[in-house]
Amino acid sequence: MEDTHFTHWKKEVKPAVQSKKEEFHYMGYESVTEEEIWECVQARLKKKKIEPRLHALVDQILALSLNDFMTWLTIQSYKE
């Protein structure tokens, strides 16, 4: 689910995504991947119809809660 608006920022925000992944791993959710976090954040930004800006993207990554991520993951599993 690559969105062209966000694709060119993927490398720039990789440290934030890695940090969020480590946070989830620290909480005991070892199976969370960076790609899942990236897809979740993109889906949330599309849903909110937020203008694609780098600071908004970083904010969404760092503000992503485990509860929001698990809800998104559950919905994705139902869609499949």
Side-chain angles (χ1 to χ4, degrees):
M1 180 177 105
E2 288 292 321
D3 187 299
T4 56
H5 294 297
F6 302 112
T7 304
H8 62 279
W9 285 325
K10 191 171 183 176
K11 288 183 182 180
E12 283 82 4
V13 300
K14 188 171 176 72
V17 174
Q18 288 174 332
S19 175
K20 187 54 68 171
K21 179 186 80 167
E22 290 170 6
E23 177 184 330
F24 289 167
H25 285 192
Y26 181 73
M27 291 182 197
Y29 293 89
E30 297 290 327
S31 63
V32 175
T33 66
E34 290 178 16
E35 192 60 36
E36 289 172 332
I37 293 170
W38 177 248
E39 289 177 14
C40 177
V41 169
Q42 286 186 86
R44 289 172 52 102
L45 286 172
K46 283 182 186 177
K47 187 176 180 180
K48 291 183 179 184
K49 297 180 180 165
I50 294 176
E51 187 74 23
R53 300 190 190 278
L54 183 58
H55 70 277
L57 181 57
V58 172
D59 181 57
Q60 287 293 310
I61 293 167
L62 296 177
L64 181 64
S65 71
L66 185 58
N67 186 43
D68 290 340
F69 177 75
M70 288 301 174
T71 299
W72 174 83
L73 201 57
T74 302
I75 291 169
Q76 294 307 307
S77 69
Y78 285 138
K79 285 181 179 179
E80 292 175 2

